[in-house]
Amino acid sequence: MSRVSGRIIVGSLLWMCVWVCCNGDGEYVLYKDPKQTVSDRVADLFGRMTLEEKIGQMVQIDRSVATVNIMRDYFIGSVLSGGGSAPLPEATAQNWVDMINEYQKGALVSRLGIPMIYGIDAVHGHNNVYNATIFPHNVGLGATRDPDLVKRIGAATALEVRATGIPYTFAPCIAVCRDPRWGRCYESYSEDHKVVEDMTDVILGLQGEPPSNYKHGVPFVGGRDKVAACAKHYVGDGGTTRGINENNTVTDLHGLLSVHMPAYADAIYKGVSTVMVSYSSWNGEKMHANTELITGYLKGTLKFKGFVISDWQGVDKISSPPHTNYTASVRAAIQAGIDMVMVPFNFTEFVNDLMSLVKTKVIPVTRIDDAVTRILLVKFTMGLFENPLADYSFSNELGSQAHRDLAREAVRKSLVLLKNGNKTNPMLPLPRKTSKILVAGTHADNLGYQCGGWTINWQGFTGNKNTRGTTLLGAVKSAVDRSTEVIFRENPDVEFIKSNNFAYAIIAVGEPPYAETAGDSDKLTMLDPGPAIISSTCQAVKCVVVVISGRPLVMEPYVASIEALVAAWLPGTEGQGITDALFGDHGFSGKLPVTWFRNTEQLPMSYGDSHYDPLFAYGSGLETESVASIVARSTSASATSTKPCLITVLVSATISLFFFPSLSRVLRR
């Protein structure tokens, strides 16, 4: 243990000695006693709270406006980091812990010492934090069809989030994307609600698995290495007209319940702690003001016992334009059943308005009581009262090699092979040992493009300097034989290609990073000069095209000229996962989680629609064997023969040496 870690732990213990089980006069306080039941502790604390303290618990503010004095004087219940909101550029885990502990100390010296809960959007790994492992975005994980993998990613993410002292993540997004024009489609696991339901196992990784006798619907967080999760965005956010973000989902109750609601039932069954409400509307009614669906269905029918949180300035957006008649919006949101409000800046206005609405009996105090008891339930359940201050004990988990290996596994399992030459002459897997290969395209050497939005910054970044990872180009250079020359040109001309006599080309194209409304698109075209790069390169040399995007893009005009086509989604920092499959270390196994359209005039179009005529159908994906499996099968076939065929043996040996040239060096020793 380092001296610094020791000081942090000692400091935390001193705080706890003052705080746990007794008040400033030495009197026993039941709610501070961890031996008591959660329900008794909630009741005891709740009974001591003033209206001001209750309303303070319902407030979540951004870290940029938080101070120790504000936390203490306004009894603030929660603080968050919005997208890209960090203590300082390239902040370490220790920097994060120190910042959050300062805010927490402000909360702990308030009259009742109720700890605040710090939240962050860790939506594909701990994506706001420098040096964290960035996992594939949800659309790629949906392509894996592997709930166990997603659960392991949840557990790894929880460790990295805890490494920075944060106990709460606004994840997972369990939207069902029904139109790729939506700028958040990559946050959805699939257009198929059944796949999304399966992927709610990520909650078990983030929070831990509740014991068999645990009451379903009650929040569960299984220890200091786990975090509270948040199912979002309730409900129907993936079904808006023309995929317009924050817009209107037009469907009857059956459509809402059968397509967009099932994953919420699964999430609640698995103990999710919080649910975030969607900006969108259902048949014209803002979800943030929908009493029927929040109080009636979520809290009533589904028996959800955790707390409901608004989205960022979601209350403001009840009105149009936003923040007009704010008092009416506050009234509508709280009466609808929202328990905690992500204000996130002008919290005094919210506090004053809500205080006035309660004191004038416009909002009954019973609604406030319901909200606060839910918030306290989550805080007690997750052990926040016993461990309010973080230390550095998980610091080494941030960007650990074990997590990067897991992300690499996720990348290769997420890849969907859409075309591979023909049956008699497939292009993949590629040979590692050849004279010279070309790597080209806008996305071949750009870590920011590879990670997509919600990475370091809200809208993502471009280039290779904002965090640590491996681009596709870097992965190719590591994968090929030492004798193979790798040449990179982002946009090579035809003469250059022809004059170099390349054995083959790997081209990476796709979308620039974006988040939310900035990603809404009617065109769904790849970033220029992607089309020109494909056309000029693939007519001059055999090429495999890797599409790095958060959704299907217009590809039909180019498919005929492409020898092999791979959908890599937004793979994150571990580009070696792509080359693992390209060069045959592992086979391709991913299946399309969404329909790949022919042209945008067909949209919206999902599997089962009467006008369904895709370029590649939902569930498509060619499967290949690893080179090792091919060699083993060939060797096995020859061994089972009564008289092994010399040709078979020679072919097996040739395949082995062709794809794994390192074997030849071993044989020469």
Side-chain angles (χ1 to χ4, degrees), residues 19 56 170 411 421 544 605:
W19 188 77
F170 307 123
V411 172
V544 53
M605 178 177 65

Side-chain angles (χ1 to χ4, degrees), residues 98 146 190 583 586 600 608 666:
D98 292 346
D146 190 341
S190 178
F583 291 100
H586 296 268
T600 56
V666 174

Side-chain angles (χ1 to χ4, degrees), residues 49 61 103 105 109 168 382 418 430 463 545 599:
M49 296 174 72
I61 59 175
Y103 299 144
K105 289 174 184 177
V109 295
Y168 178 28
M382 65 191 299
L418 297 171
L430 298 169
V545 172
N599 56 71

Side-chain angles (χ1 to χ4, degrees), residues 62-369:
D62 186 75
R63 57 159 291 277
S64 62
V65 298
T67 67
V68 170
N69 289 343
I70 286 171
M71 299 302 299
R72 178 195 64 208
D73 297 343
Y74 288 89
F75 320 107
I76 300 296
S78 184
V79 180
L80 84 152
S81 279
S85 182
L88 49 92
E90 299 187 6
T92 65
Q94 291 89 340
N95 294 145
W96 282 90
V97 168
D98 292 346
M99 176 191 73
I100 292 164
N101 279 349
E102 282 303 304
Y103 299 144
Q104 189 67 282
K105 289 174 184 177
L108 295 179
V109 295
S110 63
R111 185 179 75 92
L112 295 172
I114 303 172
M116 66 88 183
I117 181 171
Y118 199 100
I120 197 166
D121 287 280
V123 297
H124 63 135
H126 200 5
N127 44 267
N128 283 283
V129 177
Y130 178 78
N131 200 38
T133 308
I134 306 300
F135 291 93
H137 266 296
N138 286 354
V139 66
L141 298 181
T144 70
R145 304 295 203 274
D146 190 341
D148 178 70
L149 171 67
V150 170
K151 183 166 69 173
R152 287 185 284 135
I153 289 171
T157 300
L159 283 170
E160 297 208 14
V161 171
R162 281 289 192 175
T164 57
I166 298 173
Y168 178 28
T169 174
F170 307 123
C173 177
I174 53 175
V176 181
C177 179
R178 306 292 282 181
D179 193 324
R181 292 174 291 189
W182 185 37
R184 306 192 78 157
C185 204
Y186 64 78
E187 297 184 56
S188 167
Y189 292 107
S190 178
E191 70 183 41
D192 183 353
H193 68 85
K194 294 178 182 177
V195 172
V196 180
E197 289 175 70
D198 289 341
M199 295 301 163
T200 58
D201 273 9
V202 69
I203 294 166
L204 303 178
L206 290 166
Q207 298 192 156
E209 296 199 44
S212 57
N213 62 345
Y214 200 79
K215 187 176 180 181
H216 298 299
V218 177
F220 177 83
V221 181
R224 293 192 68 187
D225 60 344
K226 300 297 180 182
V227 296
C230 179
K232 66 182 188 183
H233 308 84
Y234 185 84
V235 58
D237 51 338
T240 59
T241 302
R242 298 188 63 82
I244 299 172
N245 190 44
E246 304 181 13
N247 208 255
N248 190 28
T249 297
V250 179
T251 184
D252 59 16
L253 182 61
H254 173 74
L256 189 76
L257 297 184
S258 62
V259 174
H260 300 283
M261 191 68 78
Y264 286 94
D266 280 77
I268 292 165
Y269 185 86
K270 293 169 184 174
V272 73
S273 296
T274 72
V275 171
M276 183 182 292
V277 179
S278 176
Y279 288 125
S280 60
S281 302
W282 176 48
N283 295 334
E285 183 177 358
K286 289 281 189 179
M287 276 304 311
H288 273 74
N290 195 312
T291 307
E292 177 188 357
L293 288 177
I294 298 174
T295 296
Y297 200 85
L298 180 63
K299 294 182 174 180
T301 304
L302 295 181
K303 297 181 171 32
F304 174 60
K305 302 302 181 186
F307 68 80
V308 178
I309 186 168
S310 81
D311 208 333
W312 178 278
Q313 294 181 330
V315 172
D316 302 58
K317 294 184 178 183
I318 289 174
S319 62
S320 183
H323 203 79
T324 54
N325 199 352
Y326 185 65
T327 302
S329 295
V330 171
R331 173 184 178 179
I334 302 304
Q335 286 186 327
I338 291 175
D339 303 312
M340 181 179 283
V341 174
M342 193 183 293
V343 178
F345 301 121
N346 193 359
F347 61 92
T348 55
E349 180 184 22
F350 171 78
V351 168
N352 292 338
D353 278 357
L354 184 53
M355 188 77 68
S356 174
L357 288 166
V358 175
K359 286 183 175 179
T360 57
K361 298 184 179 181
V362 175
I363 293 177
V365 72
T366 53
R367 173 73 271 277
I368 306 302
D369 294 348

Side-chain angles (χ1 to χ4, degrees), residues 393-520:
S393 57
F394 291 115
S395 294
N396 290 338
E397 298 289 349
L398 188 68
S400 71
Q401 190 57 50
H403 295 166
R404 291 184 183 277
D405 291 344
L406 176 60
R408 181 172 177 171
E409 176 190 349
V411 172
R412 65 175 178 255
K413 287 183 174 179
S414 72
L415 303 174
V416 180
L417 181 58
L418 297 171
K419 183 180 180 181
N420 188 22
N422 55 60
K423 290 182 179 179
T424 59
N425 189 26
M427 183 176 182
L428 303 178
L430 298 169
R432 299 172 186 273
K433 186 172 185 178
T434 188
S435 58
K436 190 187 300 184
I437 65 174
L438 172 66
V439 178
T442 51
H443 288 58
D445 191 33
N446 195 311
L447 192 62
Y449 286 1
Q450 199 169 285
C451 292
W454 288 108
T455 309
I456 305 300
N457 302 306
W458 174 40
Q459 294 293 329
F461 68 94
T462 183
N464 298 328
K465 295 181 179 180
N466 292 60
T467 195
R468 185 166 67 93
T470 305
T471 65
L472 176 56
L473 175 62
V476 170
K477 289 180 176 179
S478 297
V480 298
D481 185 68
R482 285 176 294 181
S483 65
T484 301
E485 185 180 2
V486 178
I487 294 179
F488 172 64
R489 290 287 189 280
E490 182 173 312
N491 186 11
D493 59 60
V494 175
E495 289 306 313
F496 171 80
I497 298 169
K498 289 181 177 178
S499 65
N500 272 277
N501 194 29
F502 293 109
Y504 56 83
I506 300 172
I507 303 170
V509 293
E511 297 182 291
Y514 55 81
E516 301 191 36
T517 303
D520 286 358

